[in-house]
Amino acid sequence: MPNSSQLSLIFLLVILSCGKKLPTLENVDLKAWREDRNGCLGYRSTIVDDITQQIEKLKALSEMDLIELFGRPDVNQLLDRNQKIYAYYLEPGPACDNSKPEPRQLVLRI
């Protein structure tokens, strides 16, 4: 008969295996995306079309799934009724040396 620590381990494995798989975005290197904070390196601007063509894959994701996929947002806002806006700069944002006056952003409303 399994002891309580073995049962706890089995329970934990079952819980972790029940999570849904994050979508795969074709032609998008998510590691490079996360490394391009505020769009300063220019990678994000090269894949705008690839992301917009696959936007349907993002619609059913939870807040934590989006953060796991794209990393921490460059800008976030808290609105009324627990709504949140996460923004990722697609072009060099205000924190970059080569910033643009009004950089394009990927804006996700949760």
Side-chain angles (χ1 to χ4, degrees), residues 34-54:
R34 286 185 215 98
E35 291 172 355
D36 190 9
R37 294 284 300 156
N38 294 299
C40 296
L41 302 176
Y43 173 72
R44 292 179 180 179
S45 64
T46 65
I47 58 167
V48 172
D49 291 336
D50 294 320
I51 289 181
T52 54
Q53 290 172 359
Q54 302 176 74

Side-chain angles (χ1 to χ4, degrees), residues 22 30 34 63-72 88:
L22 292 176
L30 290 170
R34 286 185 215 98
E63 174 183 0
M64 297 317 299
D65 289 341
L66 289 169
I67 291 173
E68 186 176 340
L69 196 64
F70 289 114
R72 230 180 43 230
Y88 297 88

Side-chain angles (χ1 to χ4, degrees), residues 12-29:
L12 180 63
L13 290 174
V14 168
I15 294 294
L16 292 176
S17 65
C18 292
K20 64 182 174 187
K21 187 177 176 184
L22 292 176
T24 302
L25 299 177
E26 297 169 24
N27 302 320
V28 176
D29 181 351

